[in-house]
Structures are given as structure tokens and as C-alpha cells.
Amino acid sequence: VRIWVEREGRLLRLRLARPTANVLDARMVAALNEAFARHADIAALTGILIDHDGPHFSFGASVEEHLPARCAEMLKSFHALILRVAGAPVPVLTVVRGQCLGGGLELAAAGSRIFVGRDARLGQPEILLGVFAPAASVLLPMRMGRARAEDLLFSCRVVGADEAVSMGFVDAVADDPEAVALDWFDQYLAPRSASSLRFAVNAARGSAVAELAARLTHLERLYLDGLMATRDATEGLEAFLAKRPARWEHR
């Protein structure tokens, strides 16, 4: 993750910069958690912008880290990151080009506004692997309504930029989404009082973040004690890693 501050200390930049499509593995999640912990409380800060190197925002979390031996640790650290993004003291803007899948989509959904390129492709493919997406199960209904969220969560459809806007998930589509996001920041966030903006963000998002935290605690237990006790969850993950079709036994 590349980290810097610009606009005279007003904007914190976080750039996903890991080869192989910015997979959100333990190392990247830890780096993002540390970046929020160390820099989000800069006194003059009025915004955080997350974007990425390479053609794709993120292919999602590491599938290997979803396996039973590692999934508890993975969920704990990833959900801590989601809560840091959702509970950030200033608005979090996300710029997406190319594929934004699984945990990558959850990371984007935790913020305030999403700006995408015309080539953006967004989806939650977890059920294809025999698992579900705990954070997305809360964040997507909050952002776009339950029916549209369930469409993505159950069907595994990958939607393009225009459909994502029509669903209410994405805020703007542009040839240069980074420039549009920066323009939005310069016009609407940079001129504001940082201290007053923090109160406004807390007022607007505080109850939703509290609900998110409570729901994630419940869904972690559902995932670890329920889902991961089934045969098909492990089969789906192992089949993906072995590049073979899953053999479901529905148990």
C-alpha cells in the first residue's frame, strides 16, 4: 500500500499496489489497518481517497486464507479494516477501475462515495465457492437496498459501471474517475472545517457503523461455527484452488 498526504494536509491517499490484481491478503489488510490507525486523525484532514495501481481495483481476499485453518484470523483482521473505513472520521472516497470483486467490493462499499471507470466490473462471487460474504451481507443492503443487494449476493452476477450506478451502488462513472473524485473533494470537502466535518460524519454514519459492528460479530459466528462446519464450504474453496468444478453434496 502506498500512503501519502496531499492538498496541504487535507487529503490522505491510500493506493493498493500489490501485484496480481491487488489481492487483499493478510499483508495488505494489515497495511491498510495500520494506515487508517496512524493517519486518519490528522487534524486538518477532510477526506481519504483509496485507489489502486494496475488495471484492476482488487480481485478480492485471498482464497487460501478462507480455508478453515486461517479463516478466523482472516475475518477478524478484514472486519477490523471494514469498521475502520466505515467509521473513519472523514469521508472515504474510492476510485475503481477494472475488476472490483469480493473483499474488494466490500472495501469500496464501506466508504462514503465510489467513483468508477467505464471498464469497472463489480460483484460478490463468494457463493460460487460455497461461502458467503459477511461484510457485504450488511454493507450492500445499507447502500442499495435489500432486494438489489440480494441480487448480487445470491446470483454472483458481475455488473458493469452503468448498471452499478442504476442500482444505487456507484456514485459516478467517468473516463478518469480519479480526476472526478479529486474534483469532488476539492469542491465539497477541502474548503470545510475539518473539526465540523468530523461531527457531521459521526452524525450521519455513527448509528450505521454501530449496527455494522454488531452484525459483523454475529455473522462471524455464523460463518465460523455454521458455514465452515459444512462439507460443501471446504469443498468449494478447495475446488477453486485446484481449478476444478466443485462437487456439491448439499451438506
Side-chain angles (χ1 to χ4, degrees):
V1 179
R2 295 172 55 197
I3 305 165
W4 72 97
V5 178
E6 61 183 51
R7 265 70 171 174
E8 298 179 341
R10 308 291 272 171
L11 179 63
L12 172 64
R13 300 289 303 267
L14 304 177
R15 178 162 291 170
L16 309 184
R18 187 169 178 82
T20 318
N22 294 315
V23 170
L24 291 165
D25 61 6
R27 182 177 176 183
M28 181 176 281
V29 170
L32 287 166
N33 266 315
E34 182 180 0
F36 272 86
R38 292 184 61 183
H39 302 288
D41 288 325
I42 295 171
L45 205 67
T46 54
I48 299 170
L49 177 62
I50 303 174
D51 64 3
H52 60 99
D53 280 342
H56 302 292
F57 182 79
S58 176
F59 280 5
S62 165
V63 175
E64 291 86 350
E65 292 173 9
H66 280 73
L67 290 169
R70 302 181 66 184
C71 63
E73 180 182 354
M74 178 274 297
L75 285 178
K76 180 179 179 181
S77 60
F78 185 69
H79 289 166
L81 173 61
I82 292 298
L83 288 170
R84 285 191 189 278
V85 176
V90 295
V92 177
L93 316 179
T94 306
V95 172
V96 171
R97 299 182 185 87
Q99 304 235 27
C100 180
L101 305 174
L105 193 65
E106 291 175 308
L107 177 62
S112 299
R113 295 182 65 80
I114 303 173
F115 303 82
V116 305
R118 301 193 187 280
D119 64 341
R121 303 284 291 167
L122 305 98
Q124 295 287 164
E126 284 82 355
I127 197 65
L128 290 174
L129 279 63
V131 297
F132 70 89
S137 298
V138 187
L139 291 167
L140 267 58
M142 285 181 170
R143 192 169 187 97
M144 64 173 71
R146 183 172 59 82
R148 288 174 171 173
E150 289 182 356
D151 176 7
L152 296 186
L153 292 167
F154 301 161
S155 73
C156 302
R157 289 195 312 116
V158 175
V159 300
D162 291 336
E163 185 174 2
V165 170
S166 70
M167 296 177 82
F169 184 74
V170 162
D171 297 291
V173 180
D175 293 327
D176 187 347
E178 180 185 355
V180 173
L182 289 171
D183 286 345
W184 195 89
F185 172 83
D186 289 338
Q187 182 173 354
Y188 297 112
L189 298 182
R192 308 298 172 234
S193 159
S195 58
S196 297
L197 182 62
R198 288 166 189 263
F199 282 105
V201 170
N202 186 32
R205 294 176 68 88
S207 60
V209 174
E211 179 184 351
L212 174 63
R215 291 287 311 282
L216 285 179
T217 297
H218 167 72
L219 292 176
E220 281 186 25
R221 296 268 53 91
L222 180 65
Y223 193 102
L224 296 172
D225 299 339
L227 176 74
M228 295 311 294
T230 69
R231 179 264 180 199
D232 279 359
T234 301
E235 163 63 14
L237 295 167
E238 291 179 346
F240 177 85
L241 292 171
K243 297 181 171 58
R244 62 169 173 81
R247 296 183 285 268
W248 305 124
E249 294 183 6
H250 316 297
R251 61 182 178 87

